[in-house]
Amino acid sequence: MERVIIVGVDRSARSRAAADWAAREALLRGLPLRVVHVAPPGGPNPVEQWPYRPETVADRVVAELTERHPELTALSTHLTGTPAAALDTMAEEADLVVLGLRGEGGHAGIALGSTASALATRCARPVVLVPGTFADEEPAGRADGVTLGIDARDPAGDAVDLAFEAARLRGARLHAVHVWTLPARAARWPFAVPEEDRAVWEDDEVQHLSDALRPWRGKYPDVDVLEDVVLLPAAKALAHAAGNSGLVVVGRRSGGTALALLRHTRCPVAVVPS
């Protein structure tokens, strides 16, 4: 089975930004890109076909991408059906599935569209959700950096692998973020947590993170890793770290953390199933 990256597109500028990210990722990985457009059964009314017919959407995106990236190998596919279901089926052959946070049917009040949400929560392959910016419009910061959200006590191996590989390909630093909370008994104390106790607990978390990352440090010796133990809610900690990253990687089993993060970050987020 040929390795490939799949990007789902529609007629929105947001999906073209996602397609451009997917094209650059395909070039980085040396993989072909498959550009997929899924139209609902029956098709839109003639008025809704502006600026071009549904069956030509993927072709036009491929033309734009290959003009911008002449070395890219890209193919177009037009399907009819429900976008989430169709892309989920196609994803079986993909290294990554890439989408914009929301498509042409969304509006400013919705940060995450239904197709993106569905794939992020059920797709069998890693899903990368891209905010509506092109490469030259990304926020200032270390745009090539990679942030990994990791549970040091039970790391999601596939997510850690993807994050280390992404950092290796980019020649970038990997920022591994492990969040923790005070022990339940601390909430019952009638006084503030002594600094000595907090320091001991934090040192324990630091050791757990170091132990969790050791196998991947050995596998990827050239990747520079910043280990970070943070006493904050997970989504808030990762959103803060994402300000200096070009990609955030989380395991799907983080559940609500991944979806909350998608509503706040300005860089692409990869949601990786176990």
Side-chain angles (χ1 to χ4, degrees):
M1 183 172 63
E2 183 185 26
R3 296 175 59 197
V4 67
I5 290 177
I6 289 175
V7 60
V9 300
D10 55 25
R11 295 174 294 180
S12 69
R14 290 180 294 274
S15 81
R16 295 202 304 276
D20 188 68
W21 188 94
R24 289 182 285 121
E25 189 69 15
L27 290 171
L28 197 60
R29 293 168 176 260
L31 296 177
L33 179 67
R34 183 170 292 278
V35 179
V36 181
H37 176 250
V38 184
N45 294 326
V47 171
E48 296 175 341
Q49 293 185 5
W50 183 90
Y52 34 80
R53 298 188 309 279
E55 61 268 23
T56 68
V57 170
D59 292 337
R60 285 179 176 259
V61 173
V62 166
E64 292 173 4
L65 292 176
T66 52
E67 181 178 3
R68 192 178 301 123
H69 308 284
E71 63 276 34
L72 177 69
T73 299
L75 300 172
S76 64
T77 299
H78 172 72
L79 301 173
T80 301
T82 303
L87 290 169
D88 195 24
T89 299
M90 288 201 71
E92 296 175 3
E93 61 186 81
D95 275 36
L96 296 174
V97 179
V98 183
L99 289 171
L101 286 185
R102 54 191 173 92
E104 63 184 282
H107 57 78
I110 299 177
L112 185 64
S114 58
T115 300
S117 180
L119 287 173
T121 55
R122 80 184 189 205
C123 186
R125 303 297 300 151
V127 175
V128 180
L129 299 176
V130 181
T133 55
F134 283 94
D136 57 358
E137 299 171 352
E138 290 174 350
R142 192 184 179 103
D144 62 343
V146 177
T147 293
L148 166 67
I150 178 172
D151 178 353
R153 285 179 168 75
D154 187 18
D158 290 343
V160 181
D161 264 328
L162 191 149
F164 267 86
E165 179 65 8
R168 184 191 69 81
L169 288 169
R170 290 161 171 76
R173 185 185 68 181
L174 175 64
H175 185 183
V177 179
H178 166 62
V179 300
W180 67 290
T181 58
L182 295 173
R185 66 180 185 275
R188 298 191 294 269
W189 291 355
F191 46 81
V193 175
E195 283 300 318
E196 311 89 80
D197 290 328
R198 173 172 167 159
V200 169
W201 295 331
E202 187 167 9
D203 286 346
D204 188 46
E205 300 296 329
V206 169
Q207 188 60 56
H208 277 297
L209 180 56
S210 179
D211 291 343
L213 291 173
R214 188 171 296 114
W216 284 277
R217 281 184 174 273
K219 183 178 178 180
Y220 295 91
D222 296 331
V223 174
D224 178 28
V225 182
L226 170 63
E227 299 182 10
D228 202 358
V229 172
V230 184
L231 186 61
L232 282 174
K236 184 175 181 179
L238 289 172
H240 178 74
N244 292 318
S245 297
L247 177 67
V248 178
V249 181
V250 294
R252 178 185 296 159
R253 69 186 184 205
S254 60
T257 296
L259 294 180
L261 176 63
L262 288 165
R263 292 176 170 86
H264 297 290
T265 184
R266 294 180 62 194
C267 76
V269 176
V271 182
V272 185
S274 300

